[in-house]
Amino acid sequence: MKYKLIFLIVIMSSVILFSVLINEVKLFLILLLITYLLLYSLLGPYFNKRIQNNLDMILYFYIGVFIVIVFQKVIEILSG
Amino acid sequence: MKKGINNRDVKRVTSLLLIIFGVILLINGYLQGVVHLINLGIGLTVVGWILLIFTFSRCIDYNIVSHVLSDYIELVKRWIRAFDIKTGGVVIPPRENLRDGGIYLPFHERYKVNLSIMDYNTLLVNSDSRDERGLLLPPLGRGLRKLLIEYRGSSYTSPEERDISYLLEDLEYLLNLLEIGSDVKVEIEGDTVVISYRIEDHTLCKRLQREDLCRKYPCPVCGVLVLTVAEFLNKVLKIEEIKNENKRVFIKLKVIRDVL
């Protein structure tokens, strides 16, 4: 139970901190993805398979968002 | 009996409220053009989603000194006394006819283990040979073993799973997960296997050792360790000794070679 609590506390604190400090949605999403990846890799093994599979869904969603952000940036650079 | 609102329902409602609040903030922030609100909206929606995922999992609530366990141990103690069993328990790893493994308590000190006459429904092992008679009980750690399989998926069949470090990782993981112990060590020398670990709460250990039950029918914590090691080695093991020194438990096992 304590690992879930740690996960939630850290992600909630980072959401509040990033949303206050960062004035750009894309940067916020990337930082949130990094925090999520870090927490998931550290605490993921302590969750059962069902939770891990469900958390994977959030991860895939985030990766999709990340790919869109990267493509937008690439197009922005190429178009000058 | 109809159950009232429990902790899980509260969490589910909270997570749904977080998601709704996050979406409202997101829309509001977008309409007003405030980036901080959009960020907070996205963040809260994600946190609500994660909380919702956590509420759909089963909660592990394990209490080593629970009265339910004490009652079960009391029952086993009576069986052992009634049959005047003096030898240590024999750990049988999971097999075709014994899916969850077992603890075999022979009636005689010079005994033989005949696996062909033991199966899932056997309680009293009956045979023409006096040395093969005994009591077959389900091991107390089998529930925790199933939990370990559910979380880690270890079956010790693939080559990478056959490594001792993998076994140690598994055992350490289980003890940490349930917050019942740590620092597991497994030493294998010839036919002798010594498992040692640090236990958080040794109240039950003291009681079981006082009644000389540990060696015959180990508690769930020692039970899961011996069962996992027996499954890893795929060998029948005899419990020689279980002792507790300064919150460190030592389990000495011996491989039984002549198994029928």
Side-chain angles (χ1 to χ4, degrees), chain A residues 8-22 28 32, chain B residues 36 39-40 43-44 47:
Chain A
L8 282 171
I9 288 171
V10 176
I11 201 107
M12 192 69 191
S13 320
S14 14
V15 162
I16 294 167
L17 193 74
F18 295 153
S19 60
V20 169
L21 294 178
I22 296 159
F28 171 79
L32 199 61
Chain B
H36 297 295
N39 288 349
L40 198 60
L44 287 182
V47 172

Side-chain angles (χ1 to χ4, degrees), chain B residues 13 40 50 72 83 122 152 169 171-172 184 189 208:
Chain B
V13 172
L40 198 60
I50 295 168
Y72 188 60
F83 287 104
T122 312
R152 299 263 295 179
E169 261 179 48
L171 299 179
E172 188 78 34
V184 190
E189 278 181 22
L208 291 178

Side-chain angles (χ1 to χ4, degrees), chain B residues 142-250:
Chain B
R142 69 178 182 151
L144 295 182
R145 176 77 196 109
K146 279 182 182 170
L147 194 75
L148 187 64
I149 294 168
E150 190 196 327
Y151 273 65
R152 299 263 295 179
S154 322
S155 57
Y156 309 118
T157 45
S158 62
E160 63 267 23
E161 284 180 358
R162 300 287 309 149
D163 192 62
I164 187 92
S165 57
Y166 191 85
L167 171 78
L168 281 171
E169 261 179 48
D170 261 7
L171 299 179
E172 188 78 34
Y173 172 82
L174 185 76
L175 294 183
N176 279 314
L177 180 73
L178 301 169
E179 295 169 39
I180 44 180
S182 56
D183 192 24
V184 190
K185 284 175 188 157
V186 179
E187 288 162 25
I188 304 170
E189 278 181 22
D191 279 354
T192 310
V193 182
V194 180
I195 309 165
S196 67
Y197 70 98
R198 220 184 94 79
I199 192 157
E200 292 295 326
D201 182 359
H202 64 309
T203 324
L204 192 71
C205 290
K206 276 183 179 172
R207 197 192 130 191
L208 291 178
Q209 282 186 340
R210 199 170 51 234
E211 290 165 356
D212 195 28
L213 262 176
C214 257
R215 197 170 61 92
K216 291 167 187 168
Y217 194 63
C219 74
V221 185
C222 290
V224 69
L225 297 182
V226 293
L227 192 67
T228 311
V229 170
E231 194 177 337
F232 175 80
L233 297 171
N234 197 22
K235 287 194 167 76
V236 176
L237 304 169
K238 182 195 170 190
I239 304 169
E240 295 256 292
E241 189 185 17
I242 296 184
K243 60 178 180 182
N244 174 20
E245 284 174 1
N246 300 325
K247 278 197 163 187
R248 191 155 187 93
V249 180
F250 294 88

Side-chain angles (χ1 to χ4, degrees), chain A residues 8-44:
Chain A
L8 282 171
I9 288 171
V10 176
I11 201 107
M12 192 69 191
S13 320
S14 14
V15 162
I16 294 167
L17 193 74
F18 295 153
S19 60
V20 169
L21 294 178
I22 296 159
N23 204 11
E24 198 188 344
V25 179
K26 285 175 190 171
L27 186 61
F28 171 79
L29 282 171
I30 290 166
L31 282 175
L32 199 61
L33 172 67
I34 292 167
T35 315
Y36 184 80
L37 278 174
L38 199 71
L39 282 172
Y40 188 45
S41 57
L42 284 173
L43 304 174

